[in-house]
Structure formats: structure tokens, C-alpha cells
């Protein structure tokens, strides 16, 4: 079946340092992967996505890496800021834009 | 440009009652998906509506039903509420004809069943 597995750890990072959030997925047939950020009291906010024909994609201060061999996805945040404190979810897409989410990682940015 | 809007923001219901949640998609979007998010977990797909029809459904019982209107807005109905239905209900919109169109989420309706 499809599952995107994230433990629910809390990642504490010093302001200005880089953050790396990891995610494992099980459905190797998926060709679309997305990272979302969810702040308290809000819905998930799209950060960045990547297709399975790529292994790296960069956005503003964020980089997503996809390793299809070991079914692993990661999100790197450069120069982490207090506004980056949130829960981060990876998700994998299926036909018709149905998403399967992992359990989330909480990022706490220490000033 | 309004994003996805959901109403109400919070709701308290009693076990056995019925509830209706509402969603207006982001301007220009024609597809609406509903997700249930339990506390501390990732959202789980309930169903998706496009062209006023249910196109996909997740592993949820028939107590969960929905509707999409000609203006693309949508409702989620839950009958015979159980305590376990307490969750954040998220609506997401996208462009149905665009492959892997990113989903845009609203801020959800927090449903508490007592």
C-alpha cells in the first residue's frame, strides 16, 4: 500500500543554521512528491515539489532531494529563521492529485 | 486573490448528530479535495470532487459524503458523528486538468464531538 512514513520527532535548530528533515516513502510507483509547512492553527502551506525524474530541486532557501533507490526524500532549509518554526509534512502524489501524507516533523528554531 | 476559505472555523457537536462543513476553492481552481487531520498526525484523504462528481475516495465510511456546486464550492457532510470524528477537516483546491497541480489548503474546520 501507499504510506509515507515520518516519525514525529522535534528538530531543534539554532537560528541561522541549516535544517534537514527526512522522510521515507513506500510506494515506488509514485512520481510526485511534495513538502508542506503547517503553522499552528493554519492549513498546510505548499513549500516545494519534485517529480520522480529529478533528484534535486531548489527553491528560495529550500532544497528537496529525492533518492528513489532507497525511497527517501529530504528537505533542507538554509539559514533557518524563527518564521520557519512549524510542522513539516512530506507527501506523495497519486493519480488525480490524491496525496498521502506522513506524520510530520516539528521544527523549533532557537533564537 | 482569495485563497481557500472554510467555514465554520470551529464546531462542537454531540455524538450521533450530523454536521456540514463548507469550502470555497482558490480563485481559478475547479477541483476540491477534503482531508481529515487528527491531532499530531498528517492529513488523510477523504474524497475529491471535480465537475460536481466524486472522483476519488479514501478509506472513509459512507457516513462521510460531499457535494460540489456549479461555482466549484463544496460541502462535506458527516452523519451519525462518533467521538473519533473529532479532528481538523481541511479543504484543498487545485486545477483538475493540470497534472500534479499543487494543492492549496484552507485553514480548516476544527470539529469536536462530545
Amino acid at each position: 500500500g501507499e504510506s509515507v512514513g515520518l516519525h514525529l520527532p522535534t528538530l531543534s535548530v539554532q537560528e541561522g543554521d541549516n535544517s534537514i528533515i527526512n522522510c521515507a516513502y513506500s510506494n515506488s510507483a509514485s512520481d510526485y512528491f511534495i513538502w508542506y509547512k503547517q503553522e499552528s492553527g493554519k492549513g498546510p502551506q505548499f513549500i516545494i515539489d519534485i517529480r520522480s525524474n529529478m533528484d534535486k530541486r531548489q527553491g528560495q532557501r529550500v532544497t528537496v532531494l529525492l533518492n528513489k533507490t532507497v525511497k527517501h526524500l529530504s528537505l533542507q532549509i538554509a539559514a533557518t529563521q524563527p518564521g520557519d518554526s512549524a510542522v513539516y509534512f512530506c507527501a506523495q502524489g497519486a493519480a488525480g492529485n490524491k496525496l498521502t501524507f506522513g506524520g510530520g516533523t516539528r521544527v523549533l528554531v532557537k533564537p | 486573490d482569495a485563497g481557500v476559505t472554510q467555514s465554520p472555523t470551529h464546531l462542537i457537536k454531540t455524538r450521533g448528530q450530523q454536521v456540514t462543513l463548507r469550502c470555497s476553492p482558490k480563485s481559478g481552481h475547479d477541483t476540491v479535495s477534503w482531508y481529515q487531520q487528527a491531532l499530531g498526525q498528517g492529513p488523510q484523504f477523504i474524497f475529491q470532487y471535480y465537475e460536481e462528481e466524486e472522483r476519488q475516495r479514501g478509506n472513509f465510511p459512507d457516513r462521510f459524503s460531499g457535494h460540489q456546486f456549479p461555482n466549484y464550492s463544496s460541502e462535506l457532510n458527516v452523519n451519525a458523528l462518533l467521538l473519533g470524528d473529532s479532528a481538523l477537516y481541511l479543504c484543498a483546491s487545485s486545477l483538475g486538468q493540470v497534472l500534479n497541480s499543487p494543492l492549496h489548503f484552507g485553514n480548516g474546520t476544527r470539529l469536536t464531538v462530545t
Side-chain angles (χ1 to χ4, degrees), chain A residues 48-64:
Chain A
I48 191 167
D49 59 6
I50 188 168
R51 271 46 172 188
S52 60
N53 60 352
M54 304 170 68
D55 53 21
K56 180 179 180 179
R57 190 173 186 210
Q58 290 184 292
Q60 186 176 13
R61 285 200 307 118
V62 295
T63 301
V64 56

Side-chain angles (χ1 to χ4, degrees), chain A residues 5 23-29 33 66-73 92:
Chain A
C23 173
Y25 64 91
S26 64
N27 183 6
S28 56
F33 303 87
L66 175 62
N67 186 330
K68 295 181 288 294
T69 301
V70 295
K71 292 188 280 188
H72 184 269
L73 191 69
Q92 72 186 128

Side-chain angles (χ1 to χ4, degrees), chain B residues 48-97:
Chain B
Q48 180 189 82
Y49 278 84
Y50 173 67
E51 292 186 334
E52 301 180 48
E53 290 187 10
E54 182 182 294
R55 298 292 177 168
Q56 296 192 80
R57 189 178 184 92
N59 188 25
F60 280 80
D62 292 344
R63 297 187 298 108
F64 289 77
S65 64
H67 189 77
Q68 185 180 34
F69 299 94
N71 67 352
Y72 309 122
S73 66
S74 177
E75 289 181 349
L76 164 66
N77 301 292
V78 187
N79 294 323
L81 284 167
L82 303 174
L83 296 179
D85 294 331
S86 295
L88 180 68
Y89 288 85
L90 294 163
C91 172
S93 71
S94 59
L95 282 169
Q97 299 303 311

Side-chain angles (χ1 to χ4, degrees), chain B:
Chain B
D1 179 18
V4 178
T5 58
Q6 293 185 243
S7 63
T9 56
H10 295 81
L11 201 53
I12 299 175
K13 288 287 189 178
T14 303
R15 193 171 41 183
Q17 286 187 318
Q18 178 265 343
V19 69
T20 298
L21 310 182
R22 295 175 176 82
C23 171
S24 292
K26 177 180 169 68
S27 177
H29 284 181
D30 57 6
T31 301
V32 173
S33 302
W34 287 92
Y35 287 77
Q36 180 194 66
Q37 186 176 24
L39 199 61
Q41 297 182 20
Q44 298 227 335
F45 177 76
I46 303 174
F47 44 52
Q48 180 189 82
Y49 278 84
Y50 173 67
E51 292 186 334
E52 301 180 48
E53 290 187 10
E54 182 182 294
R55 298 292 177 168
Q56 296 192 80
R57 189 178 184 92
N59 188 25
F60 280 80
D62 292 344
R63 297 187 298 108
F64 289 77
S65 64
H67 189 77
Q68 185 180 34
F69 299 94
N71 67 352
Y72 309 122
S73 66
S74 177
E75 289 181 349
L76 164 66
N77 301 292
V78 187
N79 294 323
L81 284 167
L82 303 174
L83 296 179
D85 294 331
S86 295
L88 180 68
Y89 288 85
L90 294 163
C91 172
S93 71
S94 59
L95 282 169
Q97 299 303 311
V98 178
L99 184 64
N100 294 330
S101 166
L103 267 63
H104 292 254
F105 284 85
N107 288 329
T109 294
R110 172 70 63 187
L111 173 65
T112 302
V113 182
T114 62

